[in-house]
Amino acid sequence: MDWEDTTEQATFREDVRSFIEENLPQYYKDKREWNAVTLEDDWQEHMMHGGDEARAAAQEWADVLSSRNWVAPHWPSEYGGGGLTTMEQFIFNMEMAEAEAPMVGGSGLSLLGPTVLIHGTDEQKERLLEPSLRGEMLWSQGFSEPGAGSDLASLQTRAVRDGDEYIINGQKLWTSSAHKSNWLFGLFRTDPDAPKHRGITFMVMPQINNGISVRPITTMGWEHGTNETFFEDVHVPANNVIGEVNRGWYVGMTLLDFERSNIAGAVETRRRLQSLIDYLDTEDGQLRSQDRAQRTRALIADRWIESEVLFNFSFRIISMQSSGIVPNYEASTSKIFGSELDQRTANTGMKAFGLYANIWDRAHELTPLDARFTQLYVHSVVFTIFGGSNEIQRNIIATRGLSLPRG
């Protein structure tokens, strides 16, 4: 791996950095000062449920990115994407994370789009990709079910063929973004007699007025971060099947390949640690931490070193992709390390403030650092579960990385 930018990459990095600074709406620049963790406050939330200022900023940012074809920088240019190389995507994502600029489009661009590009028909590409780029189609992901979480292949929501369409009945669980989307993609059981990894089909469907009901799940951080979704005689045209019927598991696994690698985690961890270091050096920080600042110095140093390790995991993955190698267990290693580092970082921040860390209210006069580490601590419980639980990731590392037998 070469850690230094080439001349061309350095020029591109400066271009991205200048573009963000010149064009990021003031609404998002102001939000940099409000760094508490939230699962609700993202670009898609602003587009669907935001107030006038949030919605205007979200649309403005999407329009500006669209002018450079950077709404989906990883898509081919012929489909409205940026056509960036793998390393350019890495640089772009890193600079976006450094500037705390929101990514536009949600899972429709990061997950569904690349999957349609690989498995979709020409008609599906024309029908689904451009509206997703424009923000007209906002997507949620319907994978997990009450009895099919880590063992996703056990899903039972049925899709029965009826002429030129399928009729779906069943339930999905942990459907993130279902309360702020108008379309859904997911996996459904089309052949109940087939082995569990077969007989599954990948479909897309409108979510509004289509027999799909959404019930909120409130997190332990008191947020509406995810949902239950219920399917009652949902009619889906057969031309909304992506890929082959009964081969949707493999389509879905293509999609998940796009979910495993990112640089934003390392950047975000460093930013959190830097905010903690800066705050502990202020009069208010010294008051809130009392003598704990000295006792947590070694812990903070450990977390900083670990953030550099996470950066190198990400850089390794992107270097492999740049060389035409598909990361597998390497991405699982990064996911485990990053999610557990988030939890350790939250724990370190809590230790720095002792009993003051029990204050949840961001605006309370005694709250240290707007409660960001208190809230991160609570939210981080699920970080090792979603996106593929760490137990499953360890199985992947054991079988695909270490060639250990299943067992």
Side-chain angles (χ1 to χ4, degrees):
M1 299 192 318
D2 186 355
W3 283 265
E4 298 296 326
D5 288 343
T6 65
T7 302
E8 293 79 9
Q9 290 167 354
T11 300
F12 178 73
R13 184 184 298 277
E14 184 56 38
D15 181 30
V16 174
R17 188 175 297 168
S18 300
F19 173 86
I20 296 172
E21 186 57 35
E22 292 170 8
N23 294 284
L24 185 66
Q26 191 62 42
Y27 175 82
Y28 290 115
K29 291 181 179 179
D30 292 342
K31 284 176 66 63
R32 293 170 178 169
E33 304 302 317
W34 194 255
N35 200 24
V37 178
T38 175
L39 302 178
E40 295 178 330
D41 194 26
D42 60 8
W43 178 86
Q44 192 159 322
E45 172 70 20
H46 300 158
M47 284 292 289
M48 288 291 287
H49 303 301
D52 292 342
E53 184 182 9
R55 191 171 297 184
Q59 188 62 63
E60 177 187 350
W61 184 229
D63 292 343
V64 170
L65 286 172
S66 181
S67 70
R68 293 289 297 265
N69 291 335
W70 282 352
V71 171
H74 53 305
W75 290 14
S77 55
E78 58 265 35
Y79 294 103
L84 301 185
T85 66
T86 303
M87 288 306 300
E88 287 173 337
Q89 292 172 45
F90 182 79
I91 292 168
F92 178 83
N93 291 335
M94 184 175 179
E95 292 302 319
M96 289 281 281
E98 292 279 8
E100 300 181 63
M103 300 297 288
V104 165
S107 60
L109 301 188
S110 62
L111 300 179
L112 177 68
T115 303
V116 173
L117 286 169
I118 293 173
H119 295 283
T121 64
D122 290 340
E123 184 275 333
Q124 289 170 337
K125 293 173 185 176
E126 182 178 355
R127 177 161 52 94
L128 300 175
L129 296 180
E130 187 174 342
S132 297
L133 279 174
R134 294 196 300 264
E136 296 170 5
M137 287 180 167
L138 296 174
W139 294 86
S140 61
Q141 176 181 332
F143 276 17
S144 296
E145 297 182 5
S150 296
D151 184 15
L152 181 59
S154 296
L155 63 88
Q156 295 298 318
T157 298
R158 288 291 310 279
V160 178
R161 185 70 181 254
D162 183 14
D164 293 332
E165 62 183 12
Y166 287 86
I167 300 176
I168 299 178
N169 285 279
Q171 177 188 357
K172 295 290 183 179
L173 192 62
W174 314 122
T175 317
S176 300
S177 298
H179 58 301
K180 47 189 176 186
S181 59
N182 51 23
W183 277 72
L184 179 143
F185 60 89
L187 296 173
F188 304 91
R189 179 73 59 187
T190 45
D191 184 353
D193 298 322
K196 68 178 185 178
H197 286 88
R198 302 179 184 178
I200 294 173
T201 301
F202 190 105
M203 301 182 188
V204 301
M205 64 205 68
Q207 189 178 298
I208 309 299
N209 301 321
N210 192 31
I212 300 175
S213 58
V214 177
R215 298 182 188 176
I217 297 176
T218 302
T219 70
M220 62 191 296
W222 303 329
E223 288 186 333
H224 177 192
T226 187
N227 310 270
E228 298 176 282
T229 46
F230 296 86
F231 299 75
E232 299 179 52
D233 293 331
V234 175
H235 291 250
V236 178
N239 65 354
N240 279 13
V241 171
I242 307 297
E244 297 181 42
V245 174
N246 294 330
R247 299 279 292 175
W249 177 259
Y250 308 99
V251 178
M253 293 307 100
T254 297
L255 179 150
L256 288 176
D257 282 343
F258 291 94
E259 197 177 30
R260 298 292 187 217
S261 311
N262 76 85
I263 181 57
V267 172
E268 178 65 24
T269 299
R270 284 195 304 221
R271 190 164 55 242
R272 286 168 178 158
L273 290 169
Q274 189 62 59
S275 71
L276 178 60
I277 293 168
D278 292 343
Y279 181 75
L280 290 174
D281 198 37
T282 66
E283 182 178 348
D284 187 62
Q286 292 172 12
L287 175 65
R288 298 288 178 266
S289 64
Q290 297 176 358
D291 64 338
R292 296 182 187 85
Q294 293 300 318
R295 285 187 282 170
T296 54
R297 283 170 64 91
L299 293 175
I300 294 172
D302 285 346
R303 300 296 85 78
W304 192 278
I305 293 169
E306 288 165 354
S307 75
E308 292 297 315
V309 173
L310 181 59
F311 173 86
N312 280 279
F313 277 139
S314 297
F315 201 85
R316 180 191 185 198
I317 290 166
I318 209 70
S319 297
M320 293 175 66
Q321 291 175 329
S322 183
S323 300
I325 303 171
V326 178
N328 193 293
Y329 72 89
E330 297 87 353
S332 294
T333 303
S334 180
K335 194 276 177 182
I336 291 173
F337 190 87
S339 58
E340 294 181 355
L341 175 56
D342 281 336
Q343 293 175 339
R344 290 193 297 272
T345 300
N347 185 273
T348 297
M350 294 286 282
K351 286 181 180 295
F353 300 118
L355 292 177
Y356 284 105
N358 289 321
I359 304 174
W360 181 267
D361 184 357
R362 298 171 183 168
H364 194 282
E365 62 180 356
L366 298 178
T367 302
L369 207 56
D370 61 39
R372 69 187 63 173
F373 283 96
T374 302
Q375 298 199 13
L376 176 64
Y377 185 80
V378 173
H379 284 102
S380 68
V381 172
V382 300
F383 290 176
T384 53
I385 301 173
F386 63 56
S389 73
N390 285 11
E391 289 78 9
I392 297 298
Q393 303 308 316
R394 287 185 169 88
N395 286 342
I396 292 172
I397 294 169
T399 56
R400 301 178 189 176
L402 300 175
S403 300
L404 296 176
R406 292 182 180 273

